[in-house]
Amino acid sequence: MIEIGSHHQRLPMTSSAKPTVYVVDDDAAVLGSLQFLLETDGFAVRTFRNATALLNASGARGADCYVIDYKMPDINGIELAGRLRQSDEGTPVILITGYPDGNISARAAAAGVKDVILKPLLDETLVKSIRHAIRGGRGN
């Protein structure tokens, strides 16, 4: 939104709209930090506090990439990735976690996850992973 005098005016979206990233994390601080990071790097961001919120959101499809936390109270990130694959199979999913275990990468790959990134390395590593996933195109 651009402020012009005392009035707010929305600029229309053009065909060169920013890539849209949907971020799902139950930690409000992480969610806010990721939103700031990604918007600063030129992405449009839509945030969700849990998997159920994403699955129940109207217009929840339309992301260019999903960034999903692994450990959430309702549905874990790998299960959510699997559900997204059923209805939105072409959109890349990146899993973030502070709880790595020996087989998380294999389980994530089986669910169609493009990349697993460890917290707290959610800076340029995440941005590069998102850009790479989006460039790879839908369905890759």
Side-chain angles (χ1 to χ4, degrees):
M1 199 174 290
I2 296 177
E3 189 171 332
I4 301 174
S6 62
H7 301 286
H8 294 281
Q9 177 181 356
R10 287 190 185 271
L11 295 178
M13 294 299 286
T14 64
S15 61
S16 61
K18 297 176 181 181
T20 302
V21 179
Y22 287 5
V23 181
V24 185
D25 198 306
D26 61 315
D27 184 325
V30 171
L31 205 57
S33 294
L34 290 176
Q35 182 172 8
F36 178 78
L37 169 72
L38 297 176
E39 287 176 346
T40 300
D41 274 283
F43 296 100
V45 179
R46 187 168 174 195
T47 60
F48 302 88
R49 290 292 307 265
N50 56 53
T52 303
L54 171 66
L55 293 171
N56 291 337
S58 63
R61 303 305 173 255
D64 293 300
C65 185
Y66 295 98
V67 174
I68 302 172
D69 185 30
Y70 170 63
K71 194 163 188 157
M72 294 185 287
D74 57 344
I75 301 169
N76 77 41
I78 292 174
E79 292 171 10
L80 177 57
R83 290 187 188 189
L84 291 171
R85 284 287 153 259
Q86 294 172 5
S87 61
D88 193 12
E89 69 182 47
T91 302
V93 175
I94 296 170
L95 189 73
I96 57 175
T97 184
Y99 304 93
D101 64 43
N103 66 0
I104 193 169
S105 292
R107 291 190 344 253
V113 171
K114 288 282 189 189
D115 208 353
V116 177
I117 299 177
L118 299 179
K119 293 177 181 178
L121 303 176
L122 302 177
D123 52 10
E124 197 57 34
T125 302
L126 179 60
V127 171
K128 286 179 183 177
S129 182
I130 292 169
R131 289 193 192 287
H132 182 264
I134 291 172
R135 271 196 312 271
R138 297 173 75 83
N140 290 341

